[in-house]
Amino acid sequence: MKSHQWTKILWLATLFFIAACGESTQTNQRSVSDSAAEAPDTENAPEGFEDDNPDAISTSFSLNGHDIKPLNLFWQPHRQHNFTSATVVGHRSAFHAGYRFIRTEGCVLKHRRHGTRPLRLYWQPHRQDNFSSGTGVGDDTARHAHYYGVRKQGYIFTNRVAGTVPLYLFWNPYRQDNFSTATRVGIDSAVRSGYYFVRVQGYIFPPGRCR
C-alpha cells in the first residue's frame, strides 16, 4: 500500500479515536503527556474534566472582536518544539528564541467569563519545553514535572459552546514536546510526526473569528 494511503488511514483512525475519547478526556493508554518520564498514570485520569465546572454554559452568547485574541502557533526547528502563544510578550519571546510563526490555531477570550478557565503557560528549562494547560490535571502534571508557571494566556471554555472547536493536546516523548492544536492541519501534523493524543483541553473559537 502506498505511503499516502497509510497516512490517510492513520489520520482517519486518529480522528475516530479523538471522537470516541475527546469528550471524556480519558486516554486508554498510559499517558506520556505533559511530564514524560514523570507522567502520572492517567488510565483513570483526567478525572471529570467536563465536570470541573458543572455550571459551564453550553449555549451561544454574544461577543465581539474586542473580547477575543488569536492563539498563535510557533515552531522551533532546531529543538523541534511547538509553542502556542496568545500574548504580545509570548510572540516576542518566540521570535527571540528562534521560533517561526506557523498559523493561528484559534481564538481565546481576553477576560474570564462564566464557564471558562485560564489557559496557562508553563516552561520546563531542562526540556526547553513550553506547555499551555487548560485543565486542572494539566496544571498538576506540569508542576509535578517541574514546569514553572509563566503567565495566563487567556481563557477557554470548559464545556462546548456553540461556534467553538476543541483544543487538543498532543505529546511527543522523543521530542519531549507538548503540542496544542485546534485545527485539522495541526492534528494531521501531530499524527504524522509521532505525537500521541492526550486530552481535550477545552474549547476555543476557530481562527476566522479573530483575524
Side-chain angles (χ1 to χ4, degrees):
M1 186 177 291
K2 296 183 179 179
S3 60
H4 72 275
Q5 292 177 311
W6 279 114
T7 299
K8 183 176 181 181
I9 292 172
L10 181 59
W11 187 87
L12 290 173
T14 299
L15 285 184
F16 176 80
F17 175 77
I18 290 173
C21 303
E23 293 301 320
S24 65
T25 68
Q26 295 180 344
T27 172
N28 293 324
Q29 59 182 7
R30 184 182 186 278
S31 175
V32 290
S33 60
D34 322 320
S35 55
E38 298 184 71
D41 184 355
T42 56
E43 288 187 5
N44 299 312
E47 65 279 5
F49 166 66
E50 294 290 3
D51 297 325
D52 281 349
N53 186 348
D55 296 323
I57 58 178
S58 58
T59 56
S60 62
F61 65 96
S62 61
L63 81 164
N64 56 55
H66 299 293
D67 298 322
I68 56 179
K69 58 182 177 177
L71 180 65
N72 291 326
L73 174 65
F74 296 86
W75 168 254
Q76 221 287 1
H78 177 67
R79 295 201 300 263
Q80 293 192 313
H81 276 194
N82 294 279
F83 170 40
T84 47
S85 170
T87 64
V88 173
V89 66
H91 299 353
R92 290 175 179 170
S93 297
F95 288 122
H96 181 73
Y99 283 77
R100 300 184 309 205
F101 172 75
I102 302 299
R103 63 181 163 270
T104 297
E105 288 288 338
C107 316
V108 299
L109 293 171
K110 293 180 180 179
H111 308 290
R112 188 159 202 164
R113 290 202 179 202
H114 181 63
T116 66
R117 64 169 293 136
L119 181 67
R120 293 186 172 93
L121 175 65
Y122 292 90
W123 167 252
Q124 220 284 9
H126 177 69
R127 296 178 187 161
Q128 298 283 287
D129 180 42
N130 294 283
F131 168 45
S132 293
S133 170
T135 66
V137 68
D139 296 340
D140 292 342
T141 306
R143 288 188 286 266
H144 179 74
H146 307 295
Y147 280 72
Y148 299 98
V150 179
R151 70 181 67 92
K152 291 180 182 177
Q153 305 246 57
Y155 296 87
I156 64 176
F157 293 98
T158 56
N159 287 347
R160 192 156 200 171
V161 172
T164 62
V165 295
L167 178 63
Y168 298 108
L169 174 64
F170 289 86
W171 165 255
N172 188 307
Y174 304 104
R175 294 178 177 176
Q176 297 279 283
D177 180 45
N178 289 283
F179 174 34
S180 295
T181 181
T183 61
R184 178 172 176 173
V185 65
I187 295 172
D188 185 43
S189 177
V191 172
R192 285 189 288 104
S193 300
Y195 284 73
Y196 296 96
F197 169 68
V198 181
R199 69 179 69 93
V200 172
Q201 302 240 61
Y203 300 89
I204 64 177
F205 290 101
R209 293 294 296 271
C210 53
R211 283 176 180 165

